[in-house]
Amino acid sequence: MNVGPTAGRTGPPPAPSGRPGAERLRHVSLREQCLAVIRQALVSGEIRSGDIYSAAALAAKLGVSSSPVREAMLTLVNQGLLEPVRNRGFRVVAMSDDDLDEIYDMRLLLEVPATLRAARRARPADLDELSALAAEIESAARDGDVAAFLDADRRFHLTLLALSGNHRLTATIANLRDQTRLYGLENLAERGLLPAWADEHRELLSAIAAADEPRLETLIRHHLRHVRGEWETTEGRQPGES
């Protein structure tokens, strides 16, 4: 797992700026970076259900102190992604096929109309920002970098959904996305299939630019079917297995 250049600093922290709250702001930023890395490891299957993870062990791997990691893991407990194990650490909440079906149904009900609404409000500057994120997705796909692919894909869709103007809806969909288990992506990366999935983001942008709502709805539904099909699986099962 990689927390990036700021969160991964192993040397002493920068000197206090003298501004009230500066130390707290740095701590919050570090916690948020740890949260993003651990969440991504959960979704990709690097952190798997059944195993117990201590904040201290993850902090050592990330090269940071235990406090922000523990706070990040408690946030994931509140989101229903982890559960505490007394005196031992945290365990991933297991997801059954029924759980994943429910998540998929909810995402269809929420994400499709939210995406259509967001598309109506998109401005040229928004499309430029989304295009840059699509380029990141494509680059990660070519490199077979699943972690970078997941990160850029998450930012693409949540940036788009934020244009809907409903922050609670966007946060709800973000939480549903984080409850998925995309173990199948490693297999797809090994087979060189990620670039094909990455191309779908350009198709989405094309439909948005053309204000073609029927096509956009078809594309986002197709994209979500990938998540429940080729990408998303329960623990230990390969895509396509029943």
Side-chain angles (χ1 to χ4, degrees):
M1 293 184 288
N2 184 355
V3 294
T6 302
R9 187 187 294 112
T10 56
S17 67
R19 295 192 303 275
E23 290 295 338
R24 176 60 182 165
L25 288 174
R26 277 197 291 273
H27 179 78
V28 170
S29 175
L30 185 55
R31 182 196 65 198
E32 291 301 318
Q33 290 183 64
C34 291
L35 177 60
V37 171
I38 296 169
R39 182 196 295 120
Q40 184 172 287
L42 280 167
V43 173
S44 68
E46 184 178 350
I47 293 178
R48 291 182 175 265
S49 60
D51 295 332
I52 296 173
Y53 298 86
S54 72
L58 286 180
K61 182 177 288 189
L62 295 173
V64 298
S65 65
S66 295
S67 180
V69 174
R70 184 176 296 106
E71 290 182 16
M73 297 179 86
L74 287 172
T75 297
L76 293 169
V77 168
N78 291 334
Q79 293 176 353
L81 302 178
L82 293 177
E83 57 186 6
V85 180
R86 187 175 178 82
N87 298 325
R88 298 185 66 190
F90 299 86
R91 180 168 52 210
V92 180
V93 174
M95 287 282 170
S96 68
D97 274 318
D98 286 342
D99 292 324
L100 298 180
D101 285 339
E102 288 183 1
I103 292 168
Y104 173 68
D105 287 344
M106 288 184 68
R107 288 187 65 182
L108 280 177
L109 290 170
L110 297 176
E111 196 162 345
V112 173
T115 300
L116 295 177
R117 180 180 180 185
R120 296 184 202 112
R121 299 162 64 103
R123 301 165 299 177
D126 298 319
L127 294 179
D128 289 342
E129 181 180 5
L130 290 166
S131 181
L133 290 171
E136 288 188 41
I137 295 169
E138 291 160 350
S139 176
R142 286 194 300 270
D143 294 341
D145 188 337
V146 172
F149 181 95
L150 283 171
D151 176 62
D153 178 75
R154 187 179 196 274
R155 286 185 287 123
F156 177 96
H157 287 283
L158 295 185
T159 298
L160 173 56
L161 289 167
L163 300 178
S164 70
N166 190 323
H167 302 300
R168 288 180 176 83
L169 177 60
T170 302
T172 299
I173 294 172
N175 184 253
L176 290 171
R177 289 177 60 92
D178 294 341
Q179 292 180 51
T180 57
R181 298 290 186 267
L182 304 184
Y183 304 139
L185 280 181
E186 289 285 358
N187 180 267
L188 293 171
E190 292 171 1
R191 292 160 55 197
L193 297 179
L194 282 188
W197 309 141
D199 290 345
E200 292 183 2
H201 299 81
R202 291 291 179 189
E203 295 177 24
L204 290 170
L205 289 178
S206 176
I208 293 171
D212 188 343
E213 287 199 3
R215 179 170 171 242
L216 179 59
E217 179 171 353
T218 298
L219 288 170
I220 194 64
R221 287 181 179 276
H222 181 68
H223 196 71
L224 288 173
R225 280 197 297 273
H226 281 321
V227 175
R228 186 60 190 100
E230 294 96 337
W231 298 8
E232 181 183 68
T233 64
T234 51
E235 187 80 41
R237 181 163 61 80
Q238 291 299 313
E241 293 180 355
S242 58

